[in-house]
Amino acid sequence: MTSFHCGLARVASETGGRFEQGVRVETDGGLITGIDLGTTAQPGDHSLVAVVPGFVDAHSHAFHRSLRGRTHADGGDFWQWRRRMYAQAAALTPSGYRELATRVFSEMRDAGYTSVSEFHYVHHQVDGTPYAAHDMEVALADAADAVGIRLLLLDTLYLRGGVGVPLAPEQRRFGDADADAWLRRWHSLRDALASYPLVTLGAAVHSVRAVEPADLSAVATGLPQDVPLHVHVSEQPAENEQCLAAYGVSPTALLAQHGLVTDRLHAVHATHLTDADIRLLGDAGATVVMCPTTEADLGDGIGPAPELLAAGARLAIGSDQNAVIDPWEEVARLELDQRLRLQRRGVFSPAQLWRAGSGTEGLRVGAPFDAVELGLGSVRVRGADIDQLPLVARAGDVTATIVAGRVTRPEE
């Protein structure tokens, strides 16, 4: 058993999360087995200052990090940026990806992310030939293991270059022969990753642009029901227009027709939704992953986050292209972008922002001890209401990250 004494900590309660003083956390194998409030430190306790649940990066493309600070003079739009991104994908090798992902995951951990959902589709060699032993996926797992961050590896189905369009040469390494071949590779990959304690295999469909409707049905029937499924949804108006022209419905409605709009769905971006889309996602209790810094960087637009929350959907954040790796910035932008859109303040409560960032109300018995220690002495946060830190703090205020009870400080 390992115990920690937190001068201040955000803990879960029957009415939500709240900050308590003198919180003693007992763990066993990385899981929280006991929480005592109003305590003093005991011999052997590890002392922490102010502790909050770790942030979850629910959408990342690690290799996009290579484009940071290199595309701002080009102008253009998402589609022009995508051409630069494909060139980066073509240059990846397993060893190079392991090195790059290690740097990216380290930056995430030090900023306060304790978990990352990596939306991964660079599966094969440049000509589409499979690697011998899931080399690219293992590279990501090795990187997460070395850094000490949880990884939800979202192995992605990517079969088309657009609606009714085959994969382009630069997309060839993303694709499997068909949905059944992807499912076979997915099950084989799950076995290959079984030895990584911090790695879980999830799944993704790149977008409705990248598959045919029959492929969606194959995913619905062939993927185990307890596996989380992530999909890029309505990121661009052009995606909606193409889907409507080809199938007569929106991307969300197409997913729903094939049984994929459920509470396991994570709809990424969901920027350009109809009212009917919002109702579908809300009624299903789906999670919508907003990536505010990327959506701003690429000029994508501002999605209807408060409407989705009111309809019953859950909100999460992601770093996407990793032009910015700072969960505090993502959470703050979740609120501030809506202020610009709706021209009013306080669109989300601080409690809703904490929940969107971490996926939980606070530390609780039975959950992994994945947390962030904050320093409260910086000029940035000094004097701020502790509950309102999602709108004030930034990655530089993180003094330690704890994953499964393992404490790592940024300088390490």
Side-chain angles (χ1 to χ4, degrees):
M1 185 184 77
T2 306
S3 56
F4 302 82
H5 187 268
C6 313
L8 190 69
R10 187 170 180 84
V11 298
S13 69
E14 293 180 359
T15 57
R18 66 179 189 272
F19 280 93
E20 298 281 357
Q21 294 185 336
V23 178
R24 191 165 184 268
V25 179
E26 294 182 343
T27 68
D28 188 3
L31 294 177
I32 298 174
T33 56
I35 296 177
D36 294 320
L37 309 179
T39 67
T40 56
Q42 303 296 312
D45 286 354
H46 298 270
S47 294
L48 300 170
V49 182
V51 175
V52 300
F55 287 92
V56 176
D57 186 339
H59 187 69
S60 164
H61 301 288
F63 79 89
H64 292 189
R65 167 64 180 83
S66 300
L67 291 173
R68 183 188 293 177
R70 296 174 55 198
T71 64
H72 299 293
D74 298 342
D77 57 12
F78 167 85
W79 306 102
Q80 180 173 327
W81 171 88
R82 191 177 71 159
R83 291 195 293 272
R84 294 284 301 272
M85 180 268 288
Y86 283 161
Q88 294 301 126
L92 288 175
T93 64
S95 61
Y97 206 6
R98 182 178 293 104
E99 180 182 347
L100 173 60
T102 299
R103 295 199 307 269
V104 174
F105 293 164
S106 294
E107 187 177 359
M108 289 177 179
R109 180 203 62 201
D110 291 348
Y113 286 119
T114 56
S115 176
V116 55
S117 301
E118 181 63 26
F119 200 105
H120 167 70
Y121 50 80
V122 189
H123 304 302
H124 308 302
Q125 299 180 59
V126 174
D127 64 357
T129 303
Y131 285 101
H134 305 291
D135 296 39
M136 296 297 275
E137 293 76 24
V138 168
L140 289 167
D142 285 343
D145 184 66
V147 168
I149 192 171
R150 292 190 192 276
L151 172 65
L152 176 62
L153 181 57
L154 300 167
D155 196 83
T156 302
L157 178 64
Y158 198 141
L159 301 177
R160 303 284 183 271
V163 176
V165 178
L167 291 174
E170 62 269 22
Q171 298 170 315
R172 199 171 295 146
R173 68 185 312 186
F174 306 161
D176 295 282
D178 52 34
D180 289 335
W182 172 76
L183 282 164
R184 288 193 297 272
R185 188 174 59 77
W186 187 93
H187 283 279
S188 172
L189 177 58
R190 184 163 62 170
D191 294 338
L193 298 179
S195 62
Y196 292 89
L198 294 179
V199 178
T200 303
L201 183 62
V205 172
H206 179 271
S207 61
V208 298
R209 292 184 287 109
V211 295
E212 299 290 339
D215 302 322
L216 299 176
S217 295
V219 171
T221 58
L223 194 68
Q225 290 301 308
D226 61 344
V227 173
L229 179 69
H230 293 224
V231 187
H232 291 128
V233 175
S234 295
E235 182 177 4
Q236 295 290 324
E239 175 187 322
N240 290 351
E241 294 162 4
Q242 293 167 13
C243 187
L244 186 63
Y247 310 119
V249 294
S250 69
T252 300
L254 185 65
L255 293 171
Q257 286 180 358
H258 295 274
L260 294 179
V261 178
T262 69
D263 60 359
R264 73 163 168 173
L265 176 68
H266 289 63
V268 181
H269 301 303
T271 306
H272 303 282
L273 299 178
T274 66
D275 290 343
D277 294 336
I278 293 171
R279 288 193 296 273
L280 281 170
L281 293 167
D283 289 346
T287 298
V288 175
V289 184
M290 302 241 163
C291 308
T293 61
T294 287
E295 289 147 10
D297 181 81
L298 298 180
D300 288 345
I302 301 172
E307 291 91 335
L308 284 159
L309 192 64
R314 293 167 289 186
L315 296 181
I317 57 165
S319 64
D320 196 352
Q321 62 161 322
N322 296 302
V324 175
I325 296 180
D326 187 335
W328 307 89
E329 182 70 21
E330 302 294 349
V331 169
R333 289 292 298 264
L334 189 63
E335 163 70 17
L336 297 177
D337 287 356
Q338 295 300 324
R339 292 185 184 186
L340 291 172
R341 171 178 168 250
L342 301 174
Q343 299 180 45
R344 63 181 176 87
R345 305 180 81 226
V347 177
F348 299 113
S349 69
Q352 289 171 324
L353 296 177
W354 283 114
R355 193 179 309 117
S358 67
T360 185
E361 303 289 353
L363 304 180
R364 67 172 66 245
V365 173
F369 188 36
D370 294 354
V372 175
E373 181 193 44
L374 293 170
L376 300 179
S378 75
V379 294
R380 185 169 35 246
V381 302
R382 192 178 302 147
D385 182 333
I386 190 78
D387 280 307
Q388 298 184 29
L389 284 183
L391 288 161
V392 179
R394 291 296 184 270
D397 295 303
V398 172
T399 51
T401 304
I402 302 102
V403 178
R406 173 188 171 188
V407 180
T408 304
R409 299 196 178 276
E411 63 270 23
E412 297 174 7

